[in-house]
Amino acid sequence: MSVKNRKFRGVLLMAVMALVLSMLAGCGGNNNASSGNAPAASTGSSAAPEASMAPAADPIPVKLQLKWVPQAQFAGYYVALSKGYFKDEGLDVQILPGGPDIVPEQQVAGGSADIGVDWVASLLTSQEQEMPLVQIAQIYQKSGLVLVSKKSANINSPADLKGKRVGNWMGGNEFELLALFDKYKIDSNKDVKFTKQGFTMDQFLGGELDAASAMTYNEYQVVLESGVKAEDLNVIDMNDEGVAMLEDNLFANKEWLEANKETAAKFVRASLKGWKDAIADPAAAVDIVMEQAEAGSTTKEHQLKMMEEVAKLIQPEGFDISKLGYTDEAAFKQTADIAFKFGVIKKEANLSEAYTNEIMDMASK
């Protein structure tokens, strides 16, 4: 065979091999795509189906620590969870129930929860103890705390509390009463028997307490449900006495918040949507709460009354519901001033560090 023919056949063989390798590469690319490996860039109609099959981002976990067990006091969060409002925001929210031995500020400061619910006075004392916490939303606009006594105890005004057995749950719930005592020059250690109250009204109904702490939406209703008539009771309202403090809020760990502002805003936005639904349809909200409440621990009727009373605290007469969640500077300052004046906190609160409306601004967009 001539050199010329050998060269021609060599070139031909190389061309055939190149063609075969090209075909194999094409088949290999298709196999890689079907097995989940990254395919080569493609064009045409195949691009759209691949884009639609892209996995969604994993939901961001958020833990909410409540100050007490599941009840209508926290209905907005359960409604938001049940209706998928948190999920719509890309969040995987876990609602942690509270209890007599759980202090939400400690849970959030320690990292066991991301966001907590408690009263502003309790938050202020925790901040003074240098816990890295900041308020991000204010839910309740009025105080629901009252002191209830039977008329037979002759407690017709706060001054009559001297010498009486007065109960409170303590653990951060007692500050409004301490302010009340101080206002009337009552020494909580000498002039009254200030007693830790259980989370039922048994001590009061059984005569162990002359005056008991009660929330308008919970314990006060329990007393009425027990058969005691309203006309047989005296009630001291913290709002009327000028020592009312802002109650249920939302607060977060500062370090967590700094890295998760968008997540916090999404959580607040979904929560407020849940609260507005709960206020608009209390019965439906209670149905959702009852799914979370411990069996036999409460009744639907009690929770419905609680929801109706809670709504009055969240949206008092004349309150613009569009402002729900924002911390009003004057109201917060009043709470902080009362706390300082009556010894709840030892130094004046730094309002610029105690709360922020930045998250609410983000949530409102």
Side-chain angles (χ1 to χ4, degrees), residues 129-185:
Q129 295 168 12
E130 299 186 353
M131 292 187 190
L133 306 172
V134 61
Q135 177 166 310
I136 60 175
Q138 180 64 50
I139 306 302
Y140 283 33
Q141 306 302 314
K142 289 185 65 177
S143 170
L145 180 64
V146 297
L147 271 179
V148 59
S149 63
K150 297 174 184 176
K151 286 192 173 179
S152 58
N154 295 316
I155 302 175
N156 300 305
S157 75
D160 297 328
L161 291 170
K162 286 187 176 182
K164 303 297 185 179
R165 299 163 297 175
V166 182
N168 185 266
W169 312 287
M170 309 301 183
N173 299 297
E174 71 272 23
F175 300 129
E176 284 176 275
L177 293 193
L178 292 177
L180 180 71
F181 293 157
D182 201 78
K183 177 182 177 181
Y184 284 87
K185 309 303 179 185

Side-chain angles (χ1 to χ4, degrees), residues 17-161:
M17 291 178 65
L19 179 61
V20 171
L21 289 173
S22 176
M23 293 176 63
L24 288 173
C27 292
N30 290 337
N31 288 337
N32 287 341
S34 64
S35 64
N37 295 329
S42 58
T43 60
S45 61
S46 62
E50 288 180 6
S52 65
M53 293 173 64
D58 291 336
I60 300 172
V62 177
K63 291 183 179 180
L64 172 68
Q65 178 64 64
L66 303 181
K67 71 181 273 94
W68 191 235
V69 298
Q71 58 183 16
Q73 177 184 0
F74 314 110
Y77 310 114
Y78 288 114
V79 170
L81 184 65
S82 177
K83 291 191 174 184
Y85 295 158
F86 291 128
K87 183 178 180 181
D88 292 344
E89 294 284 356
L91 305 180
D92 177 16
V93 172
Q94 181 181 3
I95 301 178
L96 306 175
D101 299 320
I102 294 178
V103 179
E105 288 85 354
Q106 293 177 357
Q107 298 298 103
V108 175
S112 297
D114 305 305
I115 298 173
V117 177
D118 209 339
W119 293 356
V120 171
S122 183
L123 175 65
L124 288 170
T125 59
S126 297
Q127 290 172 334
E128 189 170 66
Q129 295 168 12
E130 299 186 353
M131 292 187 190
L133 306 172
V134 61
Q135 177 166 310
I136 60 175
Q138 180 64 50
I139 306 302
Y140 283 33
Q141 306 302 314
K142 289 185 65 177
S143 170
L145 180 64
V146 297
L147 271 179
V148 59
S149 63
K150 297 174 184 176
K151 286 192 173 179
S152 58
N154 295 316
I155 302 175
N156 300 305
S157 75
D160 297 328
L161 291 170

